[in-house]
Amino acid sequence: MDKKKRIFSGMQPSGELTLGNYLGALKNWIGLQDEYECMYPVMDMHAITVRQVPADLRKRSLDVLMQYIACGIDPEKSLLFFQSHVPQHAELMWVLSCNTQMGELSRMTQFKEKSQKHADNINAGLFTYPVLMAADILLYQADVVPVGNDQLQHLEITRDIAQRFNHHYGDTFTIPEAYTGKAGSRVMSLQTPENKMSKSDPNPNGFISLLDSYDDIIRKFKRAVTDSGSEIKASPDKPGVTNLLSIYCAVTGKTLKEAEEEFDGKGYGDFKLAVGETVACELKAVREKYEYLAKNKDYVEKIYKESAEIAKKIAEHTMRKVRKKVGFTAI
């Protein structure tokens, strides 16, 4: 039997996850668990490039891990742990930093954007963030990395760093490939459908949190922005309607054509209510499982501690190879 390929992805603990995270990433992750050997850590080390309140970071990190499980990530099939619990991430980052060019990092779009947002804290970690991301992936010899378009640049620099290291020191790292998932999983804001749905949206009606109540979800969809005209069709000049149709299709599994036919002749009010009810029903089970996990922290702790121990063994296997290649003296 062929060995399963390894897939690696994670999210930062920057708050409650949204419907965009669920449909754009988590739902894909769930579907990959039988086909791949999956590793889905919470990326808490990445989070500290921005100033954090320590107690809040700990709480959010645990919340995100519990939301992973609540959404359907199976601890029996996937490794779920905190990035900071595996010290080899930082160790490999240093080695890779010495094999990464300043010019490469200065061209990274995310560094430019975050520098503008956090002008009072343009720290070295923000600059070398892509090297830590490369270490995350290469440490586990990941074959495949699920990425959105906004992360493709980071995967490209990861591949460049790995190829450069392999060229200088001999075959060491697996060169990871991108897994872009199914089309139509990019979820836009309910209030400004030209922008991606984000939990940092200043308008709370623009995003759906995975932990929103049933009533809140319905209310937000009823307030969702639509477009001029009354036809329920996906079109570049109808971003609001197109976004709602995409969400409906992503949750139900229907095609865009099937969804358009279903709502043919219906008004925007009925359409928005139907999409809202579909999403609210889908997320009800997520919220209930999260509430169960929040009351059973010992079970959650057992999961992330056992996963971290397995992750450390995989990571240490890579690091032994790396230390030898670069010329460090063996312990």
Side-chain angles (χ1 to χ4, degrees), residues 284-301:
K284 183 173 182 283
V286 173
R287 192 171 61 254
E288 289 173 350
K289 183 68 183 287
Y290 170 85
E291 288 167 359
Y292 167 81
L293 293 168
K295 293 173 185 171
N296 291 273
K297 297 283 180 62
D298 289 348
Y299 168 67
V300 178
E301 184 178 337

Side-chain angles (χ1 to χ4, degrees), residues 34-274:
D34 291 324
E35 188 180 347
Y36 293 92
E37 182 186 328
C38 298
M39 306 185 77
Y40 298 132
V42 176
M43 315 307 282
D44 52 351
M45 290 171 69
H46 283 293
I48 63 170
T49 57
V50 176
R51 294 265 184 265
Q52 302 284 345
V53 176
D56 291 349
L57 178 60
R58 275 189 289 274
K59 182 183 183 305
R60 288 201 311 271
S61 297
L62 191 59
D63 276 352
V64 168
L65 189 119
M66 289 191 294
Q67 287 174 73
Y68 280 2
I69 301 167
C71 286
I73 304 295
D74 186 347
E76 298 293 322
K77 296 178 179 178
S78 302
L79 293 182
L80 301 170
F81 58 98
F82 298 111
Q83 181 189 23
S84 61
H85 286 190
V86 183
Q88 290 91 338
H89 283 261
E91 183 183 1
L92 181 57
M93 182 197 175
W94 173 248
V95 175
L96 297 183
S97 293
C98 297
N99 288 274
T100 306
Q101 302 302 306
M102 295 277 286
E104 289 177 302
L105 296 176
S106 65
R107 290 191 291 272
M108 300 303 287
T109 304
Q110 198 168 68
F111 172 69
K112 295 173 185 174
E113 290 174 352
K114 286 201 171 183
S115 296
Q116 290 174 343
K117 279 186 185 176
H118 305 281
D120 60 333
N121 183 29
I122 305 175
N123 57 71
L126 195 60
F127 188 67
T128 57
Y129 176 102
V131 188
L132 179 56
M133 188 175 280
D136 299 333
I137 297 165
L138 300 178
L139 188 60
Y140 300 108
Q141 306 291 354
D143 299 285
V144 186
V145 182
V147 287
N149 290 331
D150 55 341
Q151 292 292 335
L152 279 172
Q153 191 183 33
H154 283 143
L155 184 60
E156 281 308 311
I157 196 172
T158 296
R159 288 168 55 84
D160 290 344
I161 292 168
Q163 287 164 345
R164 183 180 300 132
F165 191 96
N166 287 354
H167 174 74
H168 286 298
Y169 297 105
D171 188 31
T172 309
F173 297 118
T174 300
I175 309 300
E177 300 290 338
Y179 177 91
T180 50
K182 298 171 186 173
S185 55
R186 185 175 170 84
V187 180
M188 313 306 282
S189 166
L190 298 181
Q191 292 297 312
T192 52
E194 299 80 14
N195 301 327
K196 190 176 176 182
M197 184 178 283
S198 168
K199 50 187 168 277
S200 60
D201 191 328
N203 185 345
N205 290 315
F207 65 92
I208 302 293
S209 163
L210 295 189
L211 304 181
D212 276 345
S213 70
Y214 189 97
D215 290 343
D216 281 343
I217 294 171
I218 298 296
R219 177 179 53 77
K220 289 182 182 183
F221 272 100
K222 281 182 176 179
R223 293 181 179 178
V225 168
T226 44
D227 310 282
S228 58
S230 59
E231 197 176 27
I232 298 171
K233 287 273 187 188
S235 169
D237 63 345
K238 294 172 81 73
V241 169
T242 301
N243 184 40
L244 294 176
L245 281 168
S246 296
I247 290 170
Y248 186 73
C249 291
V251 175
T252 62
K254 293 182 179 181
T255 65
L256 208 52
K257 187 172 184 296
E258 286 170 342
E260 288 174 341
E261 287 173 355
E262 182 179 341
F263 293 110
D264 185 33
K266 299 273 179 70
Y268 281 162
D270 289 341
F271 169 53
K272 290 194 285 186
L273 179 60

